[in-house]
Amino acid sequence: MRAAWPVRLVLWALVAIFVLWPGLFAPLLRPLAPPGMPVVYDRASLSGLTAWHLGLVAAAIVPSALMAIGLAILVTRPAGADFLPLARALGGFGQTFPPVAVLALAVPVVGFGAWPTLIALFLYGLLPILENALAGLTGVPPSVMLAADGMGMTPRQRLVRVELPLAAPLIVEGVRISAVIAISTAAIGSTVAAPGLGEVIIAGLNANNMAFVVQGGLLTAALALIVHDALGLAGGLVGPRGARARTAAA
Amino acid sequence: MNGGTRLLILPLALSPLLPFAVFRANRIAEAEPRSLVAALGGGGAALAVAGLAAMIGALVLARRAQVRTVVAAALVVAILLAMGWAAARLTAGGPPQVRVGPGAGFWVALVSAGLLVVDARARLHPRPAMRLAIVAVAVAIGAAILWSGALSQLSIMQEYGNRSASFWREGARHLWLAFGSFAAAMLAGVPLGIGLTRARRASAPVLGLLTMLQTIPSMALFGMLIAPLAWIAANVPAAHALGIRGIGAAPAFAALFLYSLLPIVANTVVGLTGVPRSVTEAADGMGLTRRQRLTSVDVPLALPVIVSAARIVLVQNIGMATVGALIGAGGFGTFVFQGIGQTATDLILLGALPTVALAFATSAVLDALIGMLPGTAR
Amino acid sequence: MIELQSVTKDFAGVRAVNDVSLTVEQGTVAAVVGTSGSGKSTLLRMVNRLIEPTSGRILIDGADTAGVPAPDLRRRIGYVIQDHGLFPHWSAARNIATVPVLLRWPRAQVRTRVRELMEMLQLDPDVIGPRLPHELSGGQAQRVGVARALAVRPELLLMDEPFGALDPVIRAQAQADLARVQKRLGTTVILVTHDMAEAIRLGDRIAVMRAGRVEQFAAPADIIARPATPFVADLLGEGDRAFRYLSLRPAADLARPEGPGAGPAAGDADAPPLSPGTTMAEALSEMIWTGRDHVRVARADGTGGTVSRDDLIRAGRPE
């Protein structure tokens, strides 16, 4: 999706205004709320919940990405090649595991709050990134690997200068998939008392207040779209198009 | 012995040191760990450790992946049966509200053994028909263990015992949500995909819109569909008569339908545009009409790609249908969220485990089917 | 000087290269010819230690290559492969700079060197330099690959089917460019190819390999005149052996001085002389096509001469 810049900026601005001054939108939401009920979620600030939501996602996905990339590098080196089939099978296997199940299964182990959500996001985040990083690292053309060795690159130089840059677009795509799923799972995390925008939706469902459901839903959806779009842009920067921009700058 | 096996045997070998079972005075009481010796008795524990050692030995020595697959699968069954036995021993003579569930040692052993099956199986490269047979055997063994009553004293089975009627009702609802919305999405998505290959200019915006829809978190979409469906129910009597309400199955069904569209439409387009030009030209050259070409050449050749979309959609729907319980749509998610509400681990598992099993089985069956389609080189 | 001493390589019990001994003199081109699976690429990759020999030694200027860390060794040896293996995420200029950057040359020196190489290979540095590999034509990519291999003025250049992916017209041009660059730089080259015509055209010496062994290692003229085994003869193709032999020498070698009374010019005194580089094979072909029995040939020193058909036909049969 190549959203044009004006659309992108308008979306960012709308979300920022909504998060900071939700009262401005109260007239729009009023018809959805039952008479006498609050229109804007009042038990916590939307900006705080948004920050928690994104913070949880970042706190889970960053270590997740580092670990998944590390694992992918490990199993694509000669010393770790033996683990490649297992890593591949695990990657495919984990994609089949429903994110809600990961969350539900984490609760018995670590209890309620932010932790089960963080663990579920971390674990579920690993697999798409691992799978994409493996695809990227094993997809480097044999002639390019041969040339890198033939030019006298050490294994580490080949990894840093050739393999990782070539795998980067796919790796970023994996991070993108993981991040979008994490935003979705973090919302469900509110059912186990993780702070985040899911709280607003659940409060709305419990109190039958559609205004809450809609504002929580719209904000969560907007966050997911923004992150999806931003990581798509990042993917463009590390791809071949970005390579030329970097060369031109050098 | 390969690296994967080596890596997994370590936790497997150490698992007897962890508590095998947990004991609760009632279903929501604090869990007390029970070691392997406490769970199975001295003799039983010795037998279990000896059996485990023998199986590990067999895994280490076995050269062929077939042998390792069978041994690891047998180990999974043995661990399950040991758990059932432990539950029977620990609940014997106690008050009826006592609950015995799996402990850390059980989970470590079960997951390691399961991954050993996965690792060995990954090196087998069985043919599609063989893969179907493996799924059938696994389902049959699982069913046999559950029906035999060997696990009946296990806490999760006691939760099931208290709710067997609603379990099957929610299960049927879950299947209906996941498969029904998939079927509807196929009916709408495949023609839409075919249309997009004709109207190339519409392709990018439509796929962009569907990508956007798919990006929206499930809970947000489920919630946001309540309001419009409530409006429809209130204003369209026919819809109301069909059972469409703002809360319940209708918004869940609609959300799953919308999520399903992207993979189906996108793969239909990819599959159809991937038909080699030489083939379509040959078809045209032999005088096939456009419709004949579509039904006898294009669609059959695109079928593997379309069926792989079906796999993605079904696995995704089975997982997401769980979330539907939050808006009263029913399904296995009902138990998960009830369990979370009551802090009853076993109830959570009663909802989560069938969901996971269903997703795995569906994925395995469809993978095998994809392999069996003509034109897929495997 | 490159010396291979009883080099052998086994892959999982299969002998890919079997007791090969060769010496390549400084500044010459050795062409290794063979069918696929003959072990020629394996032999080449043992020189820069992409593959370690099972036994035997490889010496460069008397020093055993096994004594140098492999990456250091490879940076000193140029390497060109069939699919050019350009790094897809780097521009043509950055690709050429690969080894200088690995060796931490100062940035200005790298830039100068890249320009110099691109100009030598007739690539416009300002136009081609910033392009990514997928934006280059096959011939351009091939030349960038050669420039990359020559970046640090290696004394030895290894080429593995370097022209294999090019169409015939561009291939002939690329071969001519290589010959020109090699003469100018005096680089020692080991070239692997399955094309005997290419080996004859470029090689000072040709090694014919089959099933891991070298069946013959000799100058092109010797290979054509006296193939050591039936396999070598097969590879040469019996049909155009004489033409191959004639293609080795310039027609000017047979030219007789022109002058009054130097014989009849068959009424073609007006026809322009053939260029100095024309081979005997080309001169004979010209005579057959135009129905003449003499042609005029220009010599490098500016004088002219006449070549007769009978002399050419005699020259096509080795003594």
Side-chain angles (χ1 to χ4, degrees):
Chain A
M1 182 183 51
R2 226 174 298 143
W5 274 103
V7 179
R8 185 175 288 140
L9 291 175
V10 166
L11 180 64
W12 291 354
L14 270 179
V15 169
I17 296 170
F18 193 96
V19 164
L20 294 173
W21 302 286
L24 292 176
F25 293 81
L28 285 173
L29 293 165
R30 171 92 49 211
L32 293 167
M37 297 278 269
V39 172
V40 172
Y41 189 66
D42 49 3
R43 266 169 274 173
S45 76
L46 284 182
S47 53
L49 290 178
T50 307
W52 260 105
H53 204 114
L54 287 177
L56 269 179
V57 169
I61 293 300
V62 170
S64 202
L66 292 179
M67 185 159 167
I69 296 168
L71 270 177
I73 291 174
L74 214 67
V75 299
T76 49
R77 299 308 98 187
D82 226 8
F83 299 99
L84 186 58
L86 179 63
R88 275 237 166 86
L90 261 183
F93 202 68
Q95 306 268 295
T96 314
F97 215 91
V100 189
V102 183
L103 182 66
L105 295 177
V107 175
V109 185
V110 295
F112 284 84
W115 279 109
T117 309
L118 200 62
I119 288 174
L121 299 188
F122 170 77
L123 286 178
Y124 203 79
L126 281 175
L127 295 162
I129 305 176
L130 177 66
E131 216 184 19
N132 273 36
L134 280 178
L137 288 173
T138 54
V140 178
S143 67
V144 171
M145 297 288 272
L146 184 64
D149 289 336
M151 295 295 116
M153 291 191 189
T154 61
R156 172 190 290 264
Q157 285 169 333
R158 189 184 71 191
L159 174 68
V160 173
R161 295 177 190 217
V162 178
E163 293 176 72
L164 282 177
L166 287 177
L170 267 177
I171 294 177
V172 173
E173 185 56 30
V175 174
R176 188 186 192 192
I177 296 168
S178 283
V180 168
I181 294 173
I183 290 177
S184 178
T185 311
I188 302 166
S190 297
T191 59
V192 297
L197 292 168
E199 200 178 307
V200 184
I201 303 177
I202 288 170
L205 290 173
N206 287 340
N208 214 359
N209 183 344
M210 275 303 119
F212 284 5
V213 173
V214 167
Q215 66 193 264
L218 279 177
L219 257 184
T220 319
L223 282 194
L225 290 175
I226 287 174
V227 168
H228 181 82
D229 176 57
L231 286 171
L233 283 181
L237 286 182
V238 299
R241 216 178 258 271
R244 171 137 60 183
R246 283 196 306 278
T247 305
Chain B
M1 185 175 49
N2 63 68
T5 311
R6 232 176 0 239
L7 186 74
L8 291 166
I9 277 179
L10 186 71
L12 192 60
L14 294 177
S15 64
L17 299 176
L18 293 166
F20 186 65
V22 293
F23 178 93
R24 290 186 179 87
N26 60 61
R27 63 192 283 265
I28 55 170
E30 190 74 19
E32 304 161 26
R34 290 287 185 269
S35 70
L36 195 65
V37 175
L40 298 178
L47 189 66
V49 170
L52 181 65
M55 291 220 186
I56 290 179
L59 286 169
V60 171
L61 295 177
R63 294 245 163 143
R64 292 168 56 194
Q66 287 100 313
V67 178
R68 285 211 309 274
T69 311
V70 171
V71 172
L75 188 55
V76 169
V77 172
I79 293 168
L80 285 173
L81 292 178
M83 190 69 237
W85 184 29
R89 271 194 85 249
L90 291 171
T91 51
Q97 65 270 28
V98 160
R99 290 288 188 270
V100 174
F106 166 83
W107 287 120
V108 169
L110 188 73
V111 170
S112 313
L115 289 177
L116 278 166
V117 178
V118 171
D119 182 45
R121 152 74 182 69
R123 290 160 207 268
L124 268 182
H125 308 295
R127 284 211 302 243
M130 190 62 198
R131 294 215 297 266
L132 276 186
I134 292 175
V135 178
V137 168
V139 169
I141 291 177
I145 292 174
L146 290 173
W147 252 267
S148 69
L151 303 180
S152 63
Q153 293 307 306
L154 202 60
S155 52
I156 176 172
M157 291 309 284
Q158 297 201 317
E159 289 289 344
Y160 165 74
N162 294 338
R163 297 180 166 71
S164 57
S166 66
F167 180 85
W168 292 106
R169 193 179 63 237
E170 298 301 353
R173 171 60 70 86
H174 201 101
L175 288 179
W176 183 77
L177 280 176
F179 284 77
S181 61
F182 157 74
M186 283 294 274
L187 286 179
V190 173
L192 181 56
I194 293 173
L196 288 184
T197 57
R198 302 268 163 87
R200 293 278 160 104
R201 210 173 297 164
S203 179
V206 170
L207 290 177
L209 183 73
L210 293 178
T211 307
M212 220 169 91
L213 271 175
Q214 180 128 67
T215 308
I216 297 175
S218 49
M219 214 163 87
L221 190 58
F222 282 47
M224 287 190 300
L225 283 171
I226 296 176
L229 283 168
W231 186 86
I232 291 175
N235 293 284
V236 183
H240 190 86
L242 278 172
I244 290 177
R245 304 285 185 280
I247 291 271
F253 190 95
L256 293 179
F257 168 81
L258 291 176
Y259 282 131
S260 308
L261 281 178
L262 176 68
I264 293 173
V265 175
N267 278 29
T268 304
V269 172
V270 168
L272 288 177
T273 49
V275 175
R277 183 179 280 268
S278 59
V279 173
T280 54
E281 279 173 0
D284 291 341
M286 286 186 293
L288 273 71
T289 64
R290 228 173 149 178
R291 172 180 290 269
Q292 283 170 331
R293 199 187 83 191
L294 187 71
T295 53
S296 58
V297 178
D298 292 352
V299 170
L301 283 177
L303 207 55
V305 189
I306 299 176
V307 177
S308 63
R311 191 195 80 101
I312 297 169
V313 166
L314 279 174
V315 168
Q316 172 186 299
N317 277 5
I318 290 169
M320 274 193 190
T322 324
V323 183
L326 281 177
I327 53 167
F332 286 127
T334 313
F335 302 121
V336 173
F337 292 114
Q338 267 178 23
I340 288 174
Q342 303 172 4
T343 62
T345 307
D346 301 316
L347 195 49
I348 297 177
L349 290 176
L350 184 65
L353 293 182
T355 314
V356 173
L358 200 56
F360 280 150
T362 308
S363 159
V365 168
L366 280 170
D367 266 342
L369 284 181
I370 293 168
M372 288 166 99
L373 287 172
T376 25
R378 284 218 185 163
Chain C
M1 192 171 73
I2 318 301
E3 291 164 89
L4 282 72
Q5 300 179 343
S6 309
V7 174
T8 294
K9 178 67 193 181
D10 294 336
F11 287 117
V14 180
R15 187 145 289 192
V17 171
N18 193 352
D19 192 24
V20 169
S21 297
L22 293 178
T23 301
V24 182
E25 296 296 337
Q26 189 75 45
T28 63
V29 178
V32 183
V33 197
T35 48
S36 50
S38 61
K40 56 189 194 299
S41 286
T42 306
L43 185 72
L44 191 77
R45 287 177 200 181
M46 282 192 283
V47 176
N48 65 358
R49 289 181 55 200
L50 284 170
I51 296 174
E52 299 287 348
T54 306
S55 66
R57 297 201 308 163
I58 297 171
L59 310 179
I60 297 181
D61 294 332
D64 193 336
T65 53
V68 187
D72 293 345
L73 176 74
R74 291 176 201 149
R75 289 172 196 176
R76 278 171 27 205
I77 300 177
Y79 186 50
V80 181
I81 55 180
Q82 173 168 3
D83 296 319
H84 58 71
L86 295 181
F87 302 118
H89 58 308
W90 284 349
S91 66
R94 179 66 184 87
N95 262 287
I96 295 172
T98 304
V99 183
V101 170
L102 286 178
L103 292 174
R104 296 172 201 280
W105 283 17
R107 187 177 283 212
Q109 191 187 347
V110 174
R111 205 171 298 159
T112 324
R113 179 65 182 149
V114 169
R115 282 197 88 86
E116 206 175 286
L117 283 159
M118 294 193 78
E119 273 155 12
M120 182 169 77
L121 285 153
Q122 288 152 0
L123 296 162
D124 186 335
D126 299 314
V127 177
I128 306 294
R131 287 205 188 149
L132 289 174
H134 71 89
E135 299 165 319
L136 300 174
S137 71
Q140 286 166 344
Q142 199 271 342
R143 276 180 280 167
V144 171
V146 173
R148 181 175 67 173
L150 292 173
V152 295
R153 299 186 183 83
E155 285 176 21
L156 174 60
L157 181 62
L158 305 179
M159 308 185 91
D160 195 347
E161 302 267 6
F163 312 114
L166 303 179
D167 67 52
V169 176
I170 298 173
R171 186 184 312 166
Q173 176 63 41
Q175 288 169 344
D177 285 347
L178 174 70
R180 175 174 58 80
V181 169
Q182 190 270 337
K183 286 224 167 58
R184 182 166 144 197
L185 301 177
T187 316
T188 310
V189 176
I190 304 180
L191 170 92
V192 161
T193 175
H194 62 265
D195 177 2
M196 184 54 105
E198 183 169 291
I200 290 171
R201 176 183 283 203
L202 295 172
D204 294 310
R205 308 252 286 166
I206 298 175
V208 181
M209 281 191 78
R210 182 194 188 196
R213 285 183 179 279
V214 170
E215 300 225 328
Q216 188 170 10
F217 182 49
D222 289 337
I223 294 251
I224 298 169
R226 285 170 289 276
T229 65
F231 177 74
V232 178
D234 257 9
L235 216 54
L236 281 164
E238 309 264 339
D240 38 47
R241 211 155 103 181
F243 264 93
R244 290 232 156 123
Y245 193 62
L246 285 174
S247 71
L248 291 174
R249 283 189 290 159
D253 286 6
L254 295 176
R256 295 166 198 274
E258 282 176 330
D268 60 355
D270 308 335
L274 300 173
S275 70
T278 308
T279 65
M280 293 182 186
E282 286 161 343
L284 184 57
S285 171
E286 177 72 16
M287 285 182 202
I288 294 169
W289 199 245
T290 56
R292 286 173 289 170
D293 52 11
H294 286 82
V295 286
R296 293 174 59 227
V297 179
R299 271 198 272 225
D301 58 14
T303 64
T306 306
V307 181
S308 77
R309 187 173 60 202
D310 291 345
D311 284 348
L312 278 174
I313 287 172
R314 252 193 303 281
R317 192 178 60 246
E319 288 95 46

